């Protein structure tokens, strides 16, 4: 709907893929050389080297999705069947699914209304039965990694970072994904780098890297096409299953030229987010929680809470009022079958009640805010949401 003569910004279109991808894709289509292990130094291998260098990790393993990377991370840790893995209850359904896929058991931890892990519940549930920790930086919100690492290190338990939606986020100046033992990123279309699908696993540990490489599908001696790990590979040859979840060269051709775009997308996304957040925070009915002190965010969407007394019906009306003003807003817990609402993860069987996380999900709103938006778009979105809240609450 037009507002002040302006049309609503399109928050769904992706940015074009950099032109440099075109020539490389043409070359790959002409040669038909799409499999990463057909030739030496294939685009997937080059991507691994470039991504490791960009993020500051020793090893990178490119795979089919972030979910595949999370699965391989657990497999690389060689956890026993049924191992219990701590995971925040505010995440995407694919994350507990990766834990189930790896024959482990997710233990859901409460998430507070600042969208970050409730450290009291985390500490309480981190008992001797916990074999690994998987931290989902959901929508790019970073939980207290200092406290998490201190607890995990004290217990000698490995931390996997699900940084699918956090590329470019810094914690104490350090890239998110490099703090735990393993970090996993996504190249699915709604993330900062868009290849349609794709994922990558990073680690500094040569044994974990070698195990992940082999299990991703480096059969026979294809591991020789991964530099720097020869001794580790000899150790694991023929001892691990091949889950065949490799990346193919066309994906790498689409991803590689986007790495250089990351700093701009991060800076623009953060500026856009903070600009809209400031306007939303002028409303007595809306609150955008601040980042944690050590955190420098890289958001490409906006989450905010409905504060004060809101009934479910009023929260639903906010969605309608925003939509009537041309802006899509979703209350996580009020949209049917939402994959980020833990009570919908029925594949887990009995799910314990998590009152804090539930309360947060029932009033936490999600709206898209791509880095490519300009100031008039941001004003349009911010004022539409503020006016929608006023329309409901007066
Ligand atoms: C997108 C996302 C995933 C899943 O990534 P895929 O590459 O689609 O498997 C996992 N965790 C978070 C936090 C995500 O945002």
């Amino acid at each position: 709907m037009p507002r002040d003569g302006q049309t609503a910004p399109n928050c769904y279109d992706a940015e074009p893929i950099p032109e440099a991808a075109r020539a490389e894709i043409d070359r790959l289509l002409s040669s038909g050389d799409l499999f990463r292990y057909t030739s030496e130094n294939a685009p997937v291998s080059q991507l691994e080297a470039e991504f490791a260098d960009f993020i500051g990790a020793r090893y990178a393993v490119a795979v089919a999705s972030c979910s595949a990377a999370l699965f391989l991370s657990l497999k690389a840790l060689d956890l026993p069947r049924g191992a219990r893995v701590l995971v925040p209850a505010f995440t995407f359904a694919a994350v507990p699914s990766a834990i189930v896929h790896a024959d482990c058991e997710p233990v859901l931890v409460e998430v507070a209304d600042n969208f970050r892990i409730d450290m009291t519940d985390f500490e309480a549930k981190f008992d001797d039965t916990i074999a690994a920790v998987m931290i989902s930086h959901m929508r790019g919100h970073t939980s207290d990694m200092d406290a998490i690492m201190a607890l995990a290190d004290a217990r000698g338990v490995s931390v996997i970072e699900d940084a699918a939606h956090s590329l470019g986020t810094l914690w104490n100046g350090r890239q998110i994904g490099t703090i735990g033992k393993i970090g996993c990123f996504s190249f699915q279309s709604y993330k900062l780098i868009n290849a349609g699908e794709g994922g990558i696993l990073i680690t500094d540990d040569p044994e974990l890297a070698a195990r992940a490489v082999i299990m991703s599908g480096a059969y026979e001696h294809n591991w020789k096409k991964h530099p720097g790990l020869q001794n580790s590979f000899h150790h694991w040859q023929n001892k691990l299953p091949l889950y065949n979840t490799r990346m193919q060269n066309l994906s790498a051709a689409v991803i590689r030229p986007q790495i250089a775009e990351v700093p701009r997308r991060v800076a623009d996304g953060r500026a856009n987010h903070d600009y809209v957040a400031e306007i939303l925070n002028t409303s007595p009915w809306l609150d955008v929680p601040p980042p944690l002190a050590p955190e420098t965010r890289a958001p490409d969407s906006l989450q905010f809470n409905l504060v004060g007394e809101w009934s479910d019906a009023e929260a639903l009306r906010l969605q309608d009022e925003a939509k009537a003003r041309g802006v899509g807003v979703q209350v996580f817990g009020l949209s049917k079958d939402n994959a980020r609402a833990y009570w919908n993860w029925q594949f887990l069987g009995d799910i314990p009640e998590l009152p804090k996380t539930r309360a947060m999900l029932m009033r936490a709103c999600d709206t898209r805010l791509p880095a490519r938006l300009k100031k008039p778009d941001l004003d349009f979105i911010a004022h539409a949401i503020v006016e929608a809240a006023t329309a409901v609450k007066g």
Side-chain angles (χ1 to χ4, degrees):
M1 191 177 89
R3 181 178 175 280
D4 300 339
Q6 198 199 344
T7 49
N10 181 330
C11 292
Y12 290 89
D13 289 356
E15 266 188 44
I17 304 302
E19 194 54 37
R22 209 177 289 271
E24 177 68 348
I25 288 169
D26 260 352
R27 186 184 73 78
L28 291 167
L29 294 183
S30 305
S31 65
D33 186 6
L34 303 182
F35 182 50
R36 67 164 297 170
Y37 292 130
T38 300
S39 48
E40 296 286 336
N41 206 25
V44 176
S45 297
Q46 292 180 30
L47 165 65
E48 287 169 342
E50 290 161 2
F51 193 86
D53 185 51
F54 174 80
I55 207 84
R58 282 175 75 189
Y59 309 106
V61 188
V63 290
S65 67
C66 182
S67 301
L70 294 170
F71 162 76
L72 287 175
S73 301
L74 292 164
K75 284 291 174 190
L77 289 174
D78 199 22
L79 304 173
R81 200 171 281 265
R84 285 159 57 81
V85 179
L86 279 183
V87 64
F90 177 42
T91 184
F92 185 59
V95 178
S97 303
I99 297 174
V100 171
H101 187 193
D103 289 321
C104 298
E105 185 195 332
V107 178
L108 303 182
V109 177
E110 289 269 35
V111 172
D113 62 6
N114 66 352
F115 316 130
R116 290 158 176 92
I117 291 172
D118 178 310
M119 289 307 299
T120 307
D121 195 51
F122 182 85
E123 199 168 347
K125 286 182 175 148
F126 201 160
D127 61 20
D128 292 342
T129 70
I130 298 300
V133 173
M134 185 173 279
I135 300 298
S136 219
H137 303 300
M138 185 55 173
R139 287 286 192 275
H141 297 284
T142 314
S143 293
D144 186 344
M145 289 307 291
D146 294 342
I148 289 167
M149 293 309 298
L151 287 166
D153 287 346
R155 291 183 174 277
V157 168
S158 295
V159 174
I160 299 165
E161 285 183 80
D162 166 19
H165 211 155
S166 281
L167 181 58
T169 302
L170 304 178
W171 179 261
N172 289 319
R174 186 165 161 190
Q175 290 280 354
I176 272 299
T178 65
I179 297 168
K181 197 112 185 125
I182 304 178
C184 301
F185 296 86
S186 175
F187 303 124
Q188 186 268 342
S189 285
Y190 301 156
K191 314 300 160 94
L192 208 70
I193 291 182
N194 164 25
E197 302 285 358
I200 202 160
L201 175 164
I202 57 156
T203 184
D204 285 342
D205 184 314
E207 294 304 306
L208 292 177
R211 290 170 58 82
V213 163
I214 290 176
M215 287 190 282
S216 77
Y219 62 92
E220 295 165 354
H221 292 171
N222 279 317
W223 51 258
K224 288 179 179 161
K225 299 189 177 91
H226 290 259
L229 284 166
Q230 312 308 26
N231 294 336
S232 303
F233 285 123
H234 281 293
H235 186 65
W236 296 111
Q237 183 77 58
N238 297 338
K239 298 211 172 60
L240 296 168
L242 303 168
Y243 294 108
N244 277 21
T245 180
R246 295 173 298 253
M247 181 181 280
Q248 60 130 327
N249 284 336
L250 285 174
S251 304
V254 171
I255 294 164
R256 290 179 59 213
Q258 292 184 65
I259 294 177
E261 304 292 319
V262 169
R264 173 187 57 80
R265 290 179 187 173
V266 166
D268 290 355
R270 182 164 56 237
N272 287 357
H273 175 278
D274 293 353
Y275 180 80
V276 174
E278 201 173 312
I279 297 172
L280 263 53
N281 282 337
T282 62
S283 167
W285 306 109
L286 307 173
D287 182 55
V288 183
L292 300 186
E295 187 184 11
T296 309
R297 302 198 60 222
D300 61 2
S301 66
L302 174 76
Q303 289 72 46
F304 58 95
N305 289 314
L306 304 180
V307 293
E309 290 301 314
W310 287 74
S311 66
D312 287 356
E314 286 174 327
L316 286 168
R317 258 185 63 213
L318 177 102
Q319 293 187 159
D320 296 339
E321 293 285 351
K323 190 174 176 191
R325 289 169 174 78
V327 174
V329 170
Q330 197 182 42
V331 181
F332 287 103
L334 288 174
S335 60
K336 196 169 182 312
D337 299 327
N338 194 308
R340 299 148 203 94
Y342 68 86
W343 53 86
N344 289 326
W345 304 340
Q346 291 169 26
F347 53 85
L348 293 182
D350 285 338
I351 303 165
E353 191 43 38
L354 297 153
K356 274 194 183 168
T357 309
R358 180 181 288 270
M360 178 274 285
L361 289 167
M362 295 305 275
R363 295 295 176 264
C365 302
D366 196 23
T367 195
R368 297 174 69 91
L369 207 63
R372 61 177 168 71
L373 295 185
K374 301 293 177 222
K375 189 163 173 294
D377 304 325
L378 304 174
D379 283 323
F380 186 101
I381 292 168
H383 292 293
I385 296 172
V386 169
E387 285 171 18
T390 307
V392 177
K393 297 300 293 183

